[in-house]
Amino acid sequence: SAVISQKPSRDICQRGTSLTIQCQVDSQVTMMFWYRQQPGQSLTLIATANQGSEATYESGFVIDKFPISRPNLTFSTLTVSNMSPEDSSIYLCSVEGRRDTEAFFGQGTRLTVV
Amino acid sequence: DAKTTQPPSMDCAEGRAANLPCNHSTISGNEYVYWYRQIHSQGPQYIIHGLKNNETNEMASLIITEDRKSSTLILPHATLRDTAVYYCIEARGSTLGRLYFGRGTQLTVWP
């Protein structure tokens, strides 16, 4: 299994500001994934982050709003830019397991924008 | 986009088997059926997956119909800790980390 640590676990931010969420994995992984879970909703894939290349964004998500960094094989960051209350969600990081049979998720970052 | 259909909610008595259905009538030949669950305020947890054969592990059993258009997740002896949202997801082996979640089934296990 993979152990994933996300920081911060929660935050309350002012609208118009930006927040960077960190995701650290205890082993090297090729791909990392970022998800958003809006209140009372299911998870939605934001983007796939590969080391050494630009992230691939899903429909409805753009790099200017959710810039992603992937500096090495164990770490990634997701920034939520120019936040509005609609960005209040749980943001989760995920990786594929070494056996390539399952995905592992962090505990998420609970973001509230006021 | 999610392509599976699940009932929004089910309940089950503690100690009884919980049978959670999923329809995936448009599944492709190279797509697996994955089940994850999300206990309140936690990240999703992998349960089991299968291609066309039935599968069993320490957590659950997965029964896939012969035409692969539907499946059932079975928790043989449900406990209160199994109360969670259960997601049935189609995923290709090469992109299993890229998951498209539907609304899932809220399973409530009662004493």
Side-chain angles (χ1 to χ4, degrees):
Chain A
S1 65
V3 177
I4 302 172
S5 301
Q6 279 188 239
K7 291 181 181 179
S9 59
R10 59 177 61 227
D11 207 342
I12 301 173
C13 300
Q14 296 291 323
R15 67 177 68 201
T17 63
S18 298
L19 176 71
T20 295
I21 301 168
Q22 299 179 5
C23 179
Q24 178 76 51
V25 190
D26 67 342
S27 58
Q28 294 183 340
V29 294
T30 303
M31 290 191 285
M32 298 177 76
F33 307 88
W34 287 97
Y35 291 82
R36 179 178 73 181
Q37 187 169 28
Q38 295 175 298
Q41 302 298 313
S42 182
L43 285 79
T44 302
L45 180 63
I46 298 173
T48 301
N50 290 330
Q51 194 265 339
S53 63
E54 281 199 3
T56 303
Y57 289 83
E58 298 293 315
S59 175
F61 297 95
V62 296
I63 187 171
D64 289 346
K65 176 66 176 178
F66 298 101
I68 289 171
S69 77
R70 183 77 200 276
N72 58 51
L73 292 175
T74 63
F75 188 79
S76 177
T77 67
L78 170 76
T79 299
V80 186
S81 304
N82 188 24
M83 289 183 286
S84 67
E86 291 71 34
D87 294 319
S88 297
S89 297
I90 299 173
Y91 292 86
L92 298 106
C93 171
S94 170
V95 304
E96 292 177 353
R98 258 176 272 181
R99 293 180 302 164
D100 293 339
T101 57
E102 60 196 271
F104 296 94
F105 288 80
Q107 291 302 298
T109 295
R110 184 180 295 273
L111 170 63
T112 302
V113 184
V114 297
Chain B
D1 291 340
K3 296 181 289 184
T4 61
T5 305
Q6 299 176 252
S9 64
M10 296 182 66
D11 58 33
C12 175
E14 189 176 22
R16 304 296 294 269
N19 298 293
L20 291 87
C22 178
N23 287 326
H24 32 80
S25 58
T26 61
I27 192 169
S28 301
N30 62 350
E31 287 183 314
Y32 291 76
V33 178
Y34 275 80
W35 283 83
Y36 284 80
R37 72 180 182 184
Q38 186 176 26
I39 297 172
H40 183 61
S41 299
Q42 298 183 19
Q45 175 192 24
Y46 165 83
I47 302 173
I48 198 167
H49 75 283
L51 185 62
K52 53 185 177 181
N53 297 323
N54 297 337
E55 302 288 344
T56 296
N57 63 20
E58 64 279 3
M59 289 183 68
S61 294
L62 174 61
I63 308 298
I64 303 174
T65 58
E66 191 169 342
D67 63 8
R68 300 212 321 127
K69 292 186 177 181
S70 66
S71 62
T72 301
L73 177 74
I74 302 172
L75 307 178
H77 304 287
T79 70
L80 300 179
R81 288 191 298 271
D82 292 322
T83 292
V85 179
Y86 287 77
Y87 297 101
C88 168
I89 304 168
E90 299 171 6
R92 284 189 286 274
S94 60
T95 59
L96 64 91
R98 193 176 294 122
L99 300 172
Y100 300 95
F101 288 77
R103 298 188 67 84
T105 296
Q106 170 66 60
L107 174 68
T108 301
V109 181
W110 45 275

